[in-house]
Amino acid sequence: MSRTLITNARLVNEGAVIEADLLIDGERIAQIGGDISAKPPIDVIDAKGRYLIPGMIDDQVHFREPGLTHKGDLTTESRAAVAGGITSFMDMPNVNPLTTTRAALADKYALAEGRCHGNYAFYLGATNDNLAELAALQPGEACGIKAFMGASTGDLLVDDVNALDAMFREAPVLVVTHCEDSPIIWANEAAAREKYGDAVPMREHPAIRSDESCYKSSTLATGLARKHDARLHVLHLTTAREMELFTPGPHTDKRITAEVCVHHLWFAADDYDALGARIKCNPAIKYDTDRAALHQALANDQLDIIATDHAPHTADEKAAESYFKTPAGLPLVQHAVLSLLEFVREGRYSIEFVVKKTAHAVADVFGVVDRGYLREGYYADLLLVDLDTPTDVRDDNVFYKCGWTPFAGTQFGASIAQTYVNGVCVWRDGAHTDVPIAGKRLEINGAR
């Protein structure tokens, strides 16, 4: 078991920044303190005053495996994630075959073993008719139950009110929801076709995937959760209107929590003219007033978690000739932390706040065991970040299988100097290290 001593670091943890050393022994943090001395053999890293923070735990990714691996897979996308400072991820069930049975869930874990650069957990998907599978789920088998409450396709569209009511009543673990109302979206699509024919401009996306569609579905989800006292986490909120549904305060005091994604904090509707299909996603990137409301709700703790919703498609798929043929989703894991550090550099948020929203809160809400904090005895999932060394983003320096990024042409002011997963340095000074894959299955203690 290797040992690493990181000296002269500024440790960010639980709302404080302290100057200290940190000793990694094997997979875990062995000691935190001033002037730690350790006998060789040991790898000593001088942090030179840079920040040492917990790795981001991304509760919402689509790594496309099994069945959609021309877009991405567990190995390629997790490799991009650790380059960007995401040390753990939770993958969604809309793959092929769908992860809607406990058997399919077990198969997916077997597929992932030994192939993920970061730590991993998977969701069980809800359908209109798999209540028995959901009710039989045991805490730890999945990170949660994922319900597409409208605006999905095939069996993962849960649009039967009785099925939704039963799901919230019987769910033994956390329920997470994608909230958009399909009938409203379908009506908006018809209106757009009538106005534009087949030439619907991409800037119509936030009007088609409207605030009304989001608000109606989020209202239903939060209402059912309160009715049954179920634990609910509402994913990727996008509208100012929805913020009234969520209360400010510590996430540890809530049965209903909510999140925002990095692209909804970064982009707004004015960016469609330049970026077009590259920022088409569901729910849609909305208007500048919505983005401002999301930032405000994040700052006052109505929004508890920041995630990515990483969802790659090939460049050819994104180059489809019409709005309706262009798939929704964008790759994000390599630059999510950097985008948030840009807000820190601008003075919008403190680095302690970003750590709370990307690591502490995720570990608490999902019941991730021994991760998400800089604590003695916890797994050493760590980032050494440099707020003064810039990172240039281009399509040709991403690690995604799809080979492109919506951030192309951006220079972030910060960089990820090192990433550690389970005590192993997997990224250093702009390159992956030549080490065996270090990711492990997350232990989830997420009982209702």
Side-chain angles (χ1 to χ4, degrees), residues 83-103:
I86 293 173
T87 55
S88 299
F89 64 90
M90 302 178 190
D91 193 70
M92 288 296 169
N94 52 333
V95 287
N96 186 19
L98 299 172
T99 317
T100 55
T101 67
R102 294 170 70 205

PDB file of all heavy atoms in Angstrom, residues 83-103:
ATOM      1  N   ALA A  83      -9.915  13.652 -15.054  1.00  0.00           N
ATOM      2  CA  ALA A  83      -9.105  14.772 -15.542  1.00  0.00           C
ATOM      3  C   ALA A  83      -9.718  16.097 -15.129  1.00  0.00           C
ATOM      4  O   ALA A  83      -9.004  17.084 -14.930  1.00  0.00           O
ATOM      5  CB  ALA A  83      -8.971  14.701 -17.064  1.00  0.00           C
ATOM      6  N   GLY A  84     -11.030  16.113 -14.996  1.00  0.00           N
ATOM      7  CA  GLY A  84     -11.734  17.324 -14.597  1.00  0.00           C
ATOM      8  C   GLY A  84     -12.046  17.429 -13.121  1.00  0.00           C
ATOM      9  O   GLY A  84     -12.740  18.362 -12.709  1.00  0.00           O
ATOM     10  N   GLY A  85     -11.583  16.488 -12.318  1.00  0.00           N
ATOM     11  CA  GLY A  85     -11.771  16.594 -10.877  1.00  0.00           C
ATOM     12  C   GLY A  85     -13.005  15.913 -10.325  1.00  0.00           C
ATOM     13  O   GLY A  85     -13.332  16.097  -9.153  1.00  0.00           O
ATOM     14  N   ILE A  86     -13.690  15.116 -11.136  1.00  0.00           N
ATOM     15  CA  ILE A  86     -14.835  14.336 -10.654  1.00  0.00           C
ATOM     16  C   ILE A  86     -14.316  12.947 -10.311  1.00  0.00           C
ATOM     17  O   ILE A  86     -13.884  12.195 -11.183  1.00  0.00           O
ATOM     18  CB  ILE A  86     -15.949  14.273 -11.706  1.00  0.00           C
ATOM     19  CG1 ILE A  86     -16.554  15.673 -11.888  1.00  0.00           C
ATOM     20  CG2 ILE A  86     -17.034  13.265 -11.302  1.00  0.00           C
ATOM     21  CD1 ILE A  86     -17.546  15.772 -13.034  1.00  0.00           C
ATOM     22  N   THR A  87     -14.359  12.602  -9.027  1.00  0.00           N
ATOM     23  CA  THR A  87     -13.777  11.344  -8.561  1.00  0.00           C
ATOM     24  C   THR A  87     -14.814  10.247  -8.362  1.00  0.00           C
ATOM     25  O   THR A  87     -14.439   9.077  -8.221  1.00  0.00           O
ATOM     26  CB  THR A  87     -13.005  11.566  -7.251  1.00  0.00           C
ATOM     27  OG1 THR A  87     -13.865  12.179  -6.279  1.00  0.00           O
ATOM     28  CG2 THR A  87     -11.792  12.465  -7.483  1.00  0.00           C
ATOM     29  N   SER A  88     -16.096  10.598  -8.335  1.00  0.00           N
ATOM     30  CA  SER A  88     -17.176   9.616  -8.202  1.00  0.00           C
ATOM     31  C   SER A  88     -18.348  10.068  -9.043  1.00  0.00           C
ATOM     32  O   SER A  88     -18.596  11.271  -9.193  1.00  0.00           O
ATOM     33  CB  SER A  88     -17.632   9.468  -6.748  1.00  0.00           C
ATOM     34  OG  SER A  88     -16.583   9.018  -5.909  1.00  0.00           O
ATOM     35  N   PHE A  89     -19.100   9.090  -9.580  1.00  0.00           N
ATOM     36  CA  PHE A  89     -20.238   9.438 -10.416  1.00  0.00           C
ATOM     37  C   PHE A  89     -21.372   8.437 -10.223  1.00  0.00           C
ATOM     38  O   PHE A  89     -21.152   7.302  -9.782  1.00  0.00           O
ATOM     39  CB  PHE A  89     -19.833   9.493 -11.898  1.00  0.00           C
ATOM     40  CG  PHE A  89     -19.378   8.166 -12.468  1.00  0.00           C
ATOM     41  CD1 PHE A  89     -20.282   7.287 -13.047  1.00  0.00           C
ATOM     42  CD2 PHE A  89     -18.042   7.803 -12.436  1.00  0.00           C
ATOM     43  CE1 PHE A  89     -19.864   6.069 -13.565  1.00  0.00           C
ATOM     44  CE2 PHE A  89     -17.617   6.587 -12.952  1.00  0.00           C
ATOM     45  CZ  PHE A  89     -18.532   5.709 -13.529  1.00  0.00           C
ATOM     46  N   MET A  90     -22.577   8.898 -10.557  1.00  0.00           N
ATOM     47  CA  MET A  90     -23.781   8.076 -10.493  1.00  0.00           C
ATOM     48  C   MET A  90     -24.431   8.105 -11.863  1.00  0.00           C
ATOM     49  O   MET A  90     -24.818   9.162 -12.356  1.00  0.00           O
ATOM     50  CB  MET A  90     -24.726   8.607  -9.410  1.00  0.00           C
ATOM     51  CG  MET A  90     -24.083   8.652  -8.030  1.00  0.00           C
ATOM     52  SD  MET A  90     -25.182   9.346  -6.767  1.00  0.00           S
ATOM     53  CE  MET A  90     -24.022   9.540  -5.400  1.00  0.00           C
ATOM     54  N   ASP A  91     -24.563   6.925 -12.465  1.00  0.00           N
ATOM     55  CA  ASP A  91     -24.958   6.819 -13.871  1.00  0.00           C
ATOM     56  C   ASP A  91     -26.434   6.464 -14.004  1.00  0.00           C
ATOM     57  O   ASP A  91     -26.975   5.662 -13.240  1.00  0.00           O
ATOM     58  CB  ASP A  91     -24.106   5.762 -14.556  1.00  0.00           C
ATOM     59  CG  ASP A  91     -24.231   5.804 -16.067  1.00  0.00           C
ATOM     60  OD1 ASP A  91     -23.739   6.776 -16.664  1.00  0.00           O
ATOM     61  OD2 ASP A  91     -24.815   4.875 -16.642  1.00  0.00           O
ATOM     62  N   MET A  92     -27.049   7.025 -15.030  1.00  0.00           N
ATOM     63  CA  MET A  92     -28.488   6.931 -15.240  1.00  0.00           C
ATOM     64  C   MET A  92     -28.908   5.653 -15.979  1.00  0.00           C
ATOM     65  O   MET A  92     -28.091   5.003 -16.632  1.00  0.00           O
ATOM     66  CB  MET A  92     -28.969   8.170 -15.999  1.00  0.00           C
ATOM     67  CG  MET A  92     -28.949   9.427 -15.150  1.00  0.00           C
ATOM     68  SD  MET A  92     -30.109   9.264 -13.779  1.00  0.00           S
ATOM     69  CE  MET A  92     -29.660  10.694 -12.789  1.00  0.00           C
ATOM     70  N   PRO A  93     -30.215   5.299 -15.917  1.00  0.00           N
ATOM     71  CA  PRO A  93     -30.668   3.996 -16.420  1.00  0.00           C
ATOM     72  C   PRO A  93     -31.095   3.970 -17.879  1.00  0.00           C
ATOM     73  O   PRO A  93     -31.476   2.900 -18.374  1.00  0.00           O
ATOM     74  CB  PRO A  93     -31.866   3.687 -15.518  1.00  0.00           C
ATOM     75  CG  PRO A  93     -32.449   5.035 -15.208  1.00  0.00           C
ATOM     76  CD  PRO A  93     -31.254   5.953 -15.088  1.00  0.00           C
ATOM     77  N   ASN A  94     -31.043   5.104 -18.597  1.00  0.00           N
ATOM     78  CA  ASN A  94     -31.537   5.115 -19.981  1.00  0.00           C
ATOM     79  C   ASN A  94     -30.448   4.682 -20.948  1.00  0.00           C
ATOM     80  O   ASN A  94     -29.935   5.440 -21.763  1.00  0.00           O
ATOM     81  CB  ASN A  94     -32.108   6.489 -20.359  1.00  0.00           C
ATOM     82  CG  ASN A  94     -31.169   7.633 -20.079  1.00  0.00           C
ATOM     83  OD1 ASN A  94     -30.326   7.576 -19.204  1.00  0.00           O
ATOM     84  ND2 ASN A  94     -31.312   8.699 -20.849  1.00  0.00           N
ATOM     85  N   VAL A  95     -30.077   3.403 -20.804  1.00  0.00           N
ATOM     86  CA  VAL A  95     -29.101   2.744 -21.668  1.00  0.00           C
ATOM     87  C   VAL A  95     -29.834   1.605 -22.390  1.00  0.00           C
ATOM     88  O   VAL A  95     -31.056   1.556 -22.399  1.00  0.00           O
ATOM     89  CB  VAL A  95     -27.902   2.243 -20.833  1.00  0.00           C
ATOM     90  CG1 VAL A  95     -27.037   3.419 -20.406  1.00  0.00           C
ATOM     91  CG2 VAL A  95     -28.355   1.454 -19.609  1.00  0.00           C
ATOM     92  N   ASN A  96     -29.095   0.705 -23.013  1.00  0.00           N
ATOM     93  CA  ASN A  96     -29.739  -0.388 -23.755  1.00  0.00           C
ATOM     94  C   ASN A  96     -29.027  -1.710 -23.438  1.00  0.00           C
ATOM     95  O   ASN A  96     -27.889  -1.904 -23.848  1.00  0.00           O
ATOM     96  CB  ASN A  96     -29.681  -0.097 -25.255  1.00  0.00           C
ATOM     97  CG  ASN A  96     -30.444  -1.111 -26.071  1.00  0.00           C
ATOM     98  OD1 ASN A  96     -31.292  -1.830 -25.543  1.00  0.00           O
ATOM     99  ND2 ASN A  96     -30.156  -1.184 -27.355  1.00  0.00           N
ATOM    100  N   PRO A  97     -29.673  -2.615 -22.687  1.00  0.00           N
ATOM    101  CA  PRO A  97     -31.056  -2.533 -22.218  1.00  0.00           C
ATOM    102  C   PRO A  97     -31.210  -1.550 -21.053  1.00  0.00           C
ATOM    103  O   PRO A  97     -30.246  -1.267 -20.346  1.00  0.00           O
ATOM    104  CB  PRO A  97     -31.350  -3.966 -21.763  1.00  0.00           C
ATOM    105  CG  PRO A  97     -30.005  -4.499 -21.353  1.00  0.00           C
ATOM    106  CD  PRO A  97     -29.033  -3.889 -22.318  1.00  0.00           C
ATOM    107  N   LEU A  98     -32.443  -1.063 -20.886  1.00  0.00           N
ATOM    108  CA  LEU A  98     -32.736  -0.147 -19.798  1.00  0.00           C
ATOM    109  C   LEU A  98     -32.460  -0.811 -18.444  1.00  0.00           C
ATOM    110  O   LEU A  98     -32.687  -2.011 -18.268  1.00  0.00           O
ATOM    111  CB  LEU A  98     -34.206   0.275 -19.851  1.00  0.00           C
ATOM    112  CG  LEU A  98     -34.674   1.018 -21.102  1.00  0.00           C
ATOM    113  CD1 LEU A  98     -36.190   1.180 -21.071  1.00  0.00           C
ATOM    114  CD2 LEU A  98     -33.989   2.368 -21.213  1.00  0.00           C
ATOM    115  N   THR A  99     -31.989  -0.004 -17.497  1.00  0.00           N
ATOM    116  CA  THR A  99     -31.735  -0.525 -16.150  1.00  0.00           C
ATOM    117  C   THR A  99     -33.012  -0.375 -15.328  1.00  0.00           C
ATOM    118  O   THR A  99     -33.133   0.497 -14.462  1.00  0.00           O
ATOM    119  CB  THR A  99     -30.572   0.224 -15.491  1.00  0.00           C
ATOM    120  OG1 THR A  99     -29.508   0.402 -16.428  1.00  0.00           O
ATOM    121  CG2 THR A  99     -30.039  -0.547 -14.285  1.00  0.00           C
ATOM    122  N   THR A 100     -33.976  -1.248 -15.587  1.00  0.00           N
ATOM    123  CA  THR A 100     -35.277  -1.157 -14.937  1.00  0.00           C
ATOM    124  C   THR A 100     -35.626  -2.401 -14.128  1.00  0.00           C
ATOM    125  O   THR A 100     -36.736  -2.508 -13.613  1.00  0.00           O
ATOM    126  CB  THR A 100     -36.391  -0.892 -15.965  1.00  0.00           C
ATOM    127  OG1 THR A 100     -36.337  -1.896 -16.977  1.00  0.00           O
ATOM    128  CG2 THR A 100     -36.224   0.485 -16.601  1.00  0.00           C
ATOM    129  N   THR A 101     -34.688  -3.325 -14.023  1.00  0.00           N
ATOM    130  CA  THR A 101     -34.852  -4.485 -13.156  1.00  0.00           C
ATOM    131  C   THR A 101     -33.620  -4.619 -12.289  1.00  0.00           C
ATOM    132  O   THR A 101     -32.529  -4.138 -12.641  1.00  0.00           O
ATOM    133  CB  THR A 101     -35.042  -5.787 -13.957  1.00  0.00           C
ATOM    134  OG1 THR A 101     -33.820  -6.090 -14.656  1.00  0.00           O
ATOM    135  CG2 THR A 101     -36.201  -5.662 -14.949  1.00  0.00           C
ATOM    136  N   ARG A 102     -33.759  -5.297 -11.169  1.00  0.00           N
ATOM    137  CA  ARG A 102     -32.611  -5.503 -10.293  1.00  0.00           C
ATOM    138  C   ARG A 102     -31.573  -6.392 -10.975  1.00  0.00           C
ATOM    139  O   ARG A 102     -30.369  -6.248 -10.735  1.00  0.00           O
ATOM    140  CB  ARG A 102     -33.073  -6.113  -8.978  1.00  0.00           C
ATOM    141  CG  ARG A 102     -33.954  -5.147  -8.155  1.00  0.00           C
ATOM    142  CD  ARG A 102     -34.587  -5.865  -6.981  1.00  0.00           C
ATOM    143  NE  ARG A 102     -33.592  -6.207  -5.981  1.00  0.00           N
ATOM    144  CZ  ARG A 102     -33.724  -7.221  -5.116  1.00  0.00           C
ATOM    145  NH1 ARG A 102     -34.800  -7.993  -5.167  1.00  0.00           N
ATOM    146  NH2 ARG A 102     -32.789  -7.463  -4.228  1.00  0.00           N
ATOM    147  N   ALA A 103     -32.023  -7.288 -11.851  1.00  0.00           N
ATOM    148  CA  ALA A 103     -31.083  -8.123 -12.594  1.00  0.00           C
ATOM    149  C   ALA A 103     -30.246  -7.283 -13.547  1.00  0.00           C
ATOM    150  O   ALA A 103     -29.023  -7.466 -13.653  1.00  0.00           O
ATOM    151  CB  ALA A 103     -31.832  -9.211 -13.357  1.00  0.00           C
TER     152      ALA A 103
END
